[in-house]
Amino acid sequence: MRFEREKVQAVIARYSEDISWLAELDCPSVVYNKGTGPVEGAVVLPNIGRESHTYLTHIVRNYPDFPEFVVFLQGSPFFHMEEGADCRTLNALIAEHVERRVPFKGFAWFRMVCDRLGRPHQMADPSKKGRWPGWGKDIPVGKVFERMFGQAAPERFIASAATGLFIVRRDRILVRPLSFYENGLSIIESDPLDAENTGHAFERLWQIVFNGSSNLNPS
């Protein structure tokens, strides 16, 4: 099934990944390129704030003109999906959730529970030492939550889109005002190199961002 732009659009946060798989994707896409080397038709962004910066930039720039569903993906999404996943797997997931009109769904193979500091996490993985300034630090999930929502953070968070791969229905985006997303973007931009792991924190908060409810219980 091939979706039109008015129905489904994919937003791709690319750094250096091979995105040739997009040729097989069953919906139109917009690529935001933060890496080296030109990508035809891509929107060029500064390399700051991880994919969280890309996603919030897209929302702020396009608000309120979204298709019925928006799919947010990293440039290489299949690593965090079920074993053996490829673009056919992704197409099937998109079609299933569009048909069921699911308001929000993470595409990673797992969910995770973390505390206000994002624990447990792998920020001190020796193999990743030096890759970004925030290596070895905790993730300020609680702090970012409080800056986004203006209330005390809960003790734990159940993250259903921890890898930044998810589909969200238009009405779940629009239930929050543009100013809400502008605030989120400013929070990301205040930590451009992810020295405090702010971008990582958003990976654990997307399901709350898009729950559109006055009841912000993350469970």
Side-chain angles (χ1 to χ4, degrees), residues 10-57:
V11 174
I12 313 299
R14 178 191 181 269
Y15 176 63
S16 61
E17 302 89 348
D18 178 3
I19 55 173
S20 59
W21 56 270
L22 284 175
E24 301 177 20
L25 192 64
D26 285 345
C27 65
S29 63
V30 56
V31 176
Y32 289 88
N33 185 29
K34 294 185 174 182
T36 56
V39 176
E40 184 177 357
V43 179
V44 178
L45 292 178
N47 184 27
I48 63 174
R50 302 178 61 82
E51 78 277 354
S52 303
H53 172 262
T54 301
Y55 297 172
L56 289 167
T57 296

Side-chain angles (χ1 to χ4, degrees), residues 81-103:
M81 296 171 64
E82 64 183 54
E83 185 175 357
D86 56 17
C87 200
R88 290 174 296 181
T89 311
L90 181 57
N91 285 332
L93 282 170
I94 294 171
E96 174 191 354
H97 291 88
V98 168
E99 181 180 359
R100 294 170 50 202
R101 295 195 50 77
V102 174

Side-chain angles (χ1 to χ4, degrees), residues 162-177:
T163 60
L165 312 174
F166 56 89
I167 186 171
V168 59
R169 210 171 58 202
R170 177 177 57 210
D171 62 298
R172 307 320 294 162
I173 303 175
L174 297 181
V175 76
R176 300 198 189 277

Side-chain angles (χ1 to χ4, degrees), residues 87-137:
C87 200
R88 290 174 296 181
T89 311
L90 181 57
N91 285 332
L93 282 170
I94 294 171
E96 174 191 354
H97 291 88
V98 168
E99 181 180 359
R100 294 170 50 202
R101 295 195 50 77
V102 174
F104 177 89
K105 180 66 177 180
F107 285 163
W109 65 269
F110 64 94
R111 300 173 73 198
M112 64 175 298
V113 179
C114 69
D115 65 11
R116 296 176 184 176
L117 295 176
R119 299 173 180 173
H121 58 65
Q122 298 179 330
M123 295 296 102
D125 182 346
S127 68
K128 298 179 180 179
K129 187 175 183 178
R131 289 191 185 180
W132 79 100
W135 182 88
K137 297 180 181 179

